[in-house]
Amino acid sequence: MDRRMSNWNQLTVEAAILQSTQGPWRGPSRRIKRATVTIEKLPDKVLLNIFSYLSHREICRMAQVCKKWRVIAYDTRLWRNVSLRPEISGLHVGSLESLLGLISIRFGGTLRYIELPIELITHTVLHELANKCPNLTHMLLDFSTAMQLHDFSEMQAFPTKLRYLCICLSEVIFMEGFMRKIYNFINGLEILHLIGTYEKVEEEEEEIYEVINVHKLKSATPNLRVINLYGINFVDDSHIEAFSSNCIQLECLAVNYCAKVNGSCLKTVFQRSRRLTCLLMNQTNLVSEHVMQVEWEKTALQELDITATDLSTECLIDMLTRIPNLRFLSAGQLNGFNDSVLKAFMEMGNPKNLIALDVDSSDNLTDDALHKFLSRFGHQLYGISLSGMPHITDQLWQSVLPVLTNAKIVIMGTQERLGVNIHVDQLMDGIANNCANLERLELRWDPENLRFSDKSQKAVDMLRVKCVKMKCLVLSDGRYYETTKANFERADRLTVVRTTTNCRVSNYYLLSNYKDLIFN
């Protein structure tokens, strides 16, 4: 704490000195006066702005410094978006009484977003939020660790202005008793997330419980634009069809990691939901015959994720040549995605509007076919991922980089050990000279395959200086990662360079509803 105070005082003095130098020089006395300026002299609105860059856990610690800082820390404007899940925010509320006090004193009318863990989800807390936080529009309720629910039989109130609701489902607890109490309050919802327990499911077949009644839920939410059903082991096509029967405003449907979905509902869904532009079906069990029955040429679909769905080559050709306005395609880990699919897409489809392409681990695509495609359409791509393919090396990238002038997201390389070396200095030079708009870059190659010289710093300098919009550069752990990280840190860009152990880049940033799809 003392160190932090010292650092802040030093920064404040430097800022004050800089400000004072804007006026005319007034002699030695001016210099003495500047030296006495400390953070305590700053106006409250400046301190409030400084505090806004801190996490809530840090703000709570700052409140213990002095009375003035305590007043600043309790300003409701700092508590508009609050997570009370300790594993996410580090904030832990020890009792319901403490939370009720926070809602009344600290949150109030400025609260917009709140995350609650299972132990804090009670009818009393929800009553207080409904009564004291009239502007609450976003809520996350985490039931994922629940072994039993609180008693909601007396619940008579719930926030009524919610636009966004995320419910993390329990693996075993039936939640219909709680859901029945909130149906009358959530008809204004536009964004709904139901998050399952995909990562907890064991390979052995066990009895699957339908812990929430989707068919009743859809009747209470007619205004949904975005539905995200993530990793729910009981969700199948009947649940998707149920939502489509009542949600005519639907724009985005995501059912990633819902293994029981096979696509039998898709034809009906698109007939009902004419506004549906985004369909994300990563790791579902789509059946080619069902997918081919959809009238793709009549849809408004623009964004499609069919990664790891095992669709046949025939199905892929049929679908990609009939979708009239595809802008985003994620089709990685598909054995059926080969050169003939890419050729048919180029010749009979409409890739002229495509801005994002992800063909991760599509080993049946040759570098020649990819080169032909990128040579024709690479100039329009904002996101491109050719990762996970050992035969795609820096040679292909060097040949197509001059075309990728609009790229914002680039993902390349594979973690498999290669028999050839990747000359990363030349690659960085090529990226720096051609991709001025680049924001996110990931090189997944094994560090043992990266070859760079003593002049590597110059190449990294070039990348850093020319790609000024770079937010994220991901590299595998190793000597090259350490060199690159040190280079960016010397330029005070501390958070740009990361490792593949804690960060992955995706084209999902380009989805039109990306911000609405974030649930953590």
Side-chain angles (χ1 to χ4, degrees):
M1 183 69 70
D2 291 338
R3 182 182 300 172
R4 176 172 295 173
M5 286 284 292
S6 175
N7 290 340
W8 281 20
N9 278 320
Q10 181 181 354
L11 290 172
T12 309
V13 170
E14 291 174 356
I17 291 173
L18 181 62
Q19 183 179 8
S20 65
T21 57
Q22 304 301 313
W25 173 251
R26 298 184 180 178
S29 61
R30 182 76 171 180
R31 186 181 304 166
I32 295 172
K33 186 176 181 180
R34 284 200 299 260
T36 61
V37 178
T38 64
I39 196 168
E40 285 80 8
K41 304 292 185 181
L42 288 177
D44 287 356
K45 64 179 181 181
V46 176
L47 279 175
L48 185 67
N49 187 47
I50 294 173
F51 274 43
S52 69
Y53 289 93
L54 302 175
S55 69
H56 286 129
R57 185 179 183 184
E58 290 171 324
I59 290 174
C60 291
R61 293 172 64 188
M62 293 302 105
Q64 301 174 25
V65 173
C66 61
K67 290 182 179 179
K68 181 176 181 179
W69 284 25
R70 184 177 180 83
V71 172
I72 299 294
Y74 281 176
D75 193 300
T76 57
R77 287 171 289 183
L78 293 174
W79 298 85
R80 288 174 177 157
N81 305 300
V82 180
S83 172
L84 298 179
R85 295 191 292 166
E87 70 277 12
I88 302 297
S89 65
L91 280 184
H92 176 70
V93 178
S95 66
L96 290 175
E97 290 73 18
S98 299
L99 176 56
L100 296 176
L102 288 173
I103 293 173
S104 299
I105 300 169
R106 195 171 304 184
F107 299 165
T110 60
L111 186 67
R112 300 288 189 277
Y113 175 89
I114 191 167
E115 296 182 1
L116 295 174
I118 175 61
E119 61 270 17
L120 299 180
I121 305 174
T122 68
H123 74 274
T124 307
V125 170
L126 296 173
H127 279 183
E128 281 294 288
L129 288 173
N131 295 328
K132 301 291 177 59
C133 305
N135 296 309
L136 183 62
T137 57
H138 290 62
M139 176 181 282
L140 184 151
L141 303 176
D142 188 355
F143 294 95
S144 60
T145 59
M147 297 308 294
Q148 69 178 60
L149 297 182
H150 292 281
D151 182 10
F152 293 100
S153 58
E154 298 181 9
M155 189 168 80
Q156 302 297 327
F158 191 78
T160 57
K161 290 187 178 181
L162 289 183
R163 189 178 74 86
Y164 168 111
L165 178 62
C166 178
I167 300 178
C168 300
L169 302 177
S170 167
E171 194 175 7
V172 294
I173 299 299
F174 295 93
M175 296 178 52
E176 197 53 33
F178 167 75
M179 296 302 296
R180 277 198 301 268
K181 291 293 184 177
I182 72 171
Y183 284 148
N184 292 332
F185 301 97
I186 60 174
N187 57 11
L189 277 184
E190 296 181 19
I191 301 158
L192 174 65
H193 295 262
L194 298 180
I195 309 303
T197 53
Y198 169 79
E199 295 179 354
K200 297 180 182 179
V201 174
E202 299 179 359
E203 292 185 3
E204 297 180 7
E205 286 291 332
E206 297 181 359
E207 187 174 357
I208 296 176
Y209 300 101
E210 190 164 330
V211 298
I212 193 169
N213 192 325
V214 172
H215 295 275
K216 290 184 178 178
L217 177 60
K218 62 98 178 179
S219 300
T221 54
N223 296 305
L224 289 178
R225 292 188 303 103
V226 178
I227 298 174
N228 180 24
L229 311 177
Y230 182 91
I232 306 177
N233 55 8
F234 66 80
V235 162
D236 57 26
D237 290 75
S238 67
H239 299 102
I240 300 173
E241 189 172 342
F243 272 121
S244 69
S245 67
N246 195 48
C247 305
I248 60 174
Q249 310 291 335
L250 190 60
E251 299 173 6
C252 176
L253 173 64
V255 290
N256 292 342
Y257 301 97
C258 293
K260 284 196 169 185
V261 173
N262 61 29
S264 60
C265 66
L266 288 179
K267 183 176 181 179
T268 303
V269 167
F270 278 107
Q271 288 174 344
R272 292 171 174 170
S273 305
R274 295 296 183 180
R275 298 184 182 185
L276 186 60
T277 58
C278 178
L279 180 64
L280 308 178
M281 310 190 79
N282 190 337
Q283 292 276 1
T284 53
N285 282 306
L286 293 181
V287 176
S288 296
E289 288 74 15
H290 295 327
V291 174
M292 293 172 69
Q293 291 173 4
V294 179
E295 296 174 308
W296 295 106
E297 60 277 1
K298 296 181 181 180
T299 70
L301 190 67
Q302 296 181 10
E303 300 166 346
L304 176 65
D305 185 355
I306 48 173
T307 299
T309 51
D310 203 27
L311 293 176
S312 67
T313 298
E314 181 187 7
C315 176
L316 291 170
I317 292 175
D318 176 77
M319 176 170 52
L320 294 180
T321 54
R322 289 198 289 142
I323 299 176
N325 189 28
L326 194 62
R327 299 180 73 247
F328 178 105
L329 176 62
S330 186
Q333 304 175 47
L334 291 174
N335 290 329
F337 203 113
N338 54 29
D339 290 0
S340 60
V341 175
L342 205 57
K343 182 179 179 181
F345 186 34
M346 284 193 291
E347 296 178 354
M348 296 182 287
N350 182 26
K352 293 181 180 179
N353 296 313
L354 196 69
I355 64 167
L357 176 66
D358 182 347
V359 286
D360 173 70
S361 302
S362 295
D363 293 330
N364 292 327
L365 282 172
T366 65
D367 54 356
D368 183 56
L370 288 168
H371 185 274
K372 289 179 180 177
F373 184 86
L374 294 175
S375 296
R376 286 184 59 184
F377 303 106
H379 65 280
Q380 65 194 44
L381 293 179
Y382 291 162
I384 174 70
S385 174
L386 305 182
S387 56
M389 294 180 279
H391 60 287
I392 304 300
T393 64
D394 54 332
Q395 292 184 355
L396 174 64
W397 282 105
Q398 289 284 21
S399 65
V400 299
L401 279 174
V403 185
L404 303 178
T405 52
N406 288 312
K408 295 181 179 180
I409 301 172
V410 174
I411 310 165
M412 58 179 72
T414 177
Q415 292 180 324
E416 298 178 41
R417 189 70 63 85
L418 304 179
V420 296
N421 293 323
I422 305 299
H423 299 282
V424 70
D425 286 352
Q426 292 91 321
L427 197 56
M428 288 297 192
D429 277 334
I431 294 171
N433 289 320
N434 295 289
C435 307
N437 295 318
L438 197 63
E439 298 178 6
R440 302 177 187 275
L441 172 64
E442 181 172 352
L443 275 64
R444 297 181 181 175
W445 281 297
D446 187 289
E448 294 298 322
N449 286 122
L450 297 182
R451 289 294 175 267
F452 53 96
S453 65
D454 295 336
K455 298 180 180 179
S456 180
Q457 287 286 356
K458 184 177 180 181
V460 179
D461 282 338
M462 179 105 38
L463 180 74
R464 177 172 48 76
V465 171
K466 291 197 172 184
C467 298
V468 293
K469 298 179 182 178
M470 182 82 74
K471 300 176 183 176
C472 180
L473 171 55
V474 181
L475 301 163
S476 295
D477 266 315
R479 195 157 60 92
Y480 189 73
Y481 161 75
E482 297 296 340
T483 299
T484 307
K485 184 176 177 64
N487 185 297
F488 273 78
E489 288 182 346
R490 282 196 298 272
D492 290 330
R493 296 176 67 181
L494 305 180
T495 60
V496 173
V497 183
R498 308 166 197 180
T499 73
T500 52
T501 57
N502 57 22
C503 183
R504 274 294 175 96
V505 171
S506 167
N507 279 344
Y508 266 34
Y509 298 103
L510 298 171
L511 291 172
S512 55
N513 290 287
Y514 173 70
K515 291 184 179 179
D516 293 332
L517 286 167
I518 300 174
F519 57 85
N520 232 347

